[in-house]
Amino acid sequence: MQLTHPPFAPKVLQTLQSLGIRTQADIRARGAAGAFLLLKAAGLTVTRSTLWQLAAAERDIGVHDLGPSEKAALLEAVRRHPPVAVFPSQTEMEDFMRAALAQAEQSAAAGEIPVGAVAVKNGEIIAAAHNTCVGSCNISRHAEIGVLEAAGKALQNYRLDGCDVYVTLEPCCMCAGALIQARVARVVYGAKEPKTGAAGSVVDLFGDIRLNRHTAVAGGVLADECGALLQRFFNARR
C-alpha cells in the first residue's frame, strides 16, 4: 500500500519518498522508530505525531487506535534504537570501498591479513590505511586504527566529526570502540566477520545504549569482493 497525504504531511511524505520509503512494506522493513529517526537524520523537523502516523501505517490501523502503552513503547524504541543516518548512494559507497580494497591489497602483498580502510569527509578521501600488525609487531595496528590516526593528523583533531570510515571487514571490538570514541559519523564495511565482528555479527557496540553512541553503520558494500580477498589470502597460507 502506497503512503499518502493525508495522513502524512506533504513534507514528511516527500522526505520519506526521497529516502526510499514509499509503501507500508517499506515502513515495516525499517520499523516505525527507524523511519522516524531517518526523517530526523534527513534534517526534517518531526514531532511525536509523525511517529504515531508511522506506527499506524506500519500496523495498518488508525492513529487513534494506538493506546498510551503502545505510544510509550514507541518512544522507548526510539530511545533504544541504534544510530541512524542517511548514507550516500550505493555507487558512491562502492567507489570508496574500492579505495579501501586497494589498501587491503597492500596488506596482502606484505603478508598481513588483507583489511583496508579510508576516511572520507565532504566527499573526499582524507586518509587511508591498511593492516600492519605483523610488520609493526603491534596487534593494535588494524586498518581502522591506522586510518583514524591519519585522519586525525589531517584534520588536527582527534574527533572526526562529520567523517565517514569505509573498511573492507566488519570492525572488531577494539576498532568499533575507537570509531565511536572518534565520533565518526558513519561506518560502511564490506564483509561480515562472524568470529569477531562488533557491528552485529557477535556483538553490536555501535547500537549499545550503554555507550555514548554517535556512529551509524551500514554493511555489505562490495561484500563479495572484500570476502574473496580474505579467502584468497587464507587459502594461500594453508
Side-chain angles (χ1 to χ4, degrees):
M1 183 178 69
Q2 292 287 325
L3 305 181
T4 61
H5 162 67
F8 294 104
K11 284 187 178 180
V12 171
L13 187 61
Q14 182 180 8
T15 305
L16 285 170
Q17 291 172 343
S18 73
L19 296 168
I21 302 175
R22 297 180 174 85
T23 67
Q24 182 184 57
D26 294 331
I27 294 179
R28 287 175 176 166
R30 293 184 177 273
F36 177 76
L37 289 170
L38 195 57
L39 285 170
K40 293 182 70 174
L44 193 66
T45 301
V46 288
T47 64
R48 290 181 178 183
S49 63
T50 304
L51 178 59
W52 313 152
Q53 290 164 2
L54 289 164
E58 179 184 18
R59 303 178 195 182
D60 198 18
I61 61 175
V63 171
H64 296 299
D65 294 325
L66 291 170
S69 62
E70 292 171 302
K71 290 180 177 180
L74 283 165
L75 293 174
E76 180 64 9
V78 169
R79 187 183 74 84
R80 298 179 66 89
H81 201 283
V84 170
V86 179
F87 282 83
S89 69
Q90 186 70 20
T91 298
E92 184 176 349
M93 290 193 292
E94 289 179 359
D95 286 344
F96 288 129
M97 190 61 73
R98 288 191 180 92
L101 271 166
Q103 289 292 313
E105 294 278 8
Q106 293 185 43
S107 287
E112 304 270 357
I113 295 176
V115 180
V118 296
V120 176
K121 184 162 188 177
N122 298 327
E124 300 290 336
I125 294 175
I126 61 169
H130 54 270
N131 271 7
T132 59
C133 297
V134 176
S136 65
C137 300
N138 185 341
I139 193 59
S140 72
R141 301 312 297 171
H142 286 197
E144 298 95 320
I145 303 299
V147 86
L148 291 176
E149 179 181 355
K153 289 179 179 177
L155 298 176
Q156 289 295 290
N157 195 331
Y158 72 97
R159 287 192 173 181
L160 305 182
D161 294 317
C163 290
D164 301 333
V165 168
Y166 290 76
V167 58
T168 57
L169 185 65
E170 181 182 357
C172 66
C173 287
M174 174 182 71
C175 294
L179 290 160
I180 293 168
Q181 291 292 329
R183 306 295 198 272
V184 169
R186 301 178 293 197
V187 168
V188 180
Y189 69 85
K192 285 186 174 295
E193 174 44 276
K195 295 181 179 179
T196 63
S201 289
V202 178
V203 295
D204 183 7
L205 291 186
F206 296 100
D208 193 325
I209 65 170
R210 295 169 296 181
L211 302 177
N212 192 7
R213 300 170 298 160
H214 302 278
T215 306
V217 181
V221 176
L222 297 185
D224 290 345
E225 291 91 330
C226 294
L229 177 57
L230 284 159
Q231 191 64 51
R232 289 195 301 271
F233 174 81
F234 286 116
N235 286 343
R237 288 174 68 92
R238 296 190 187 100

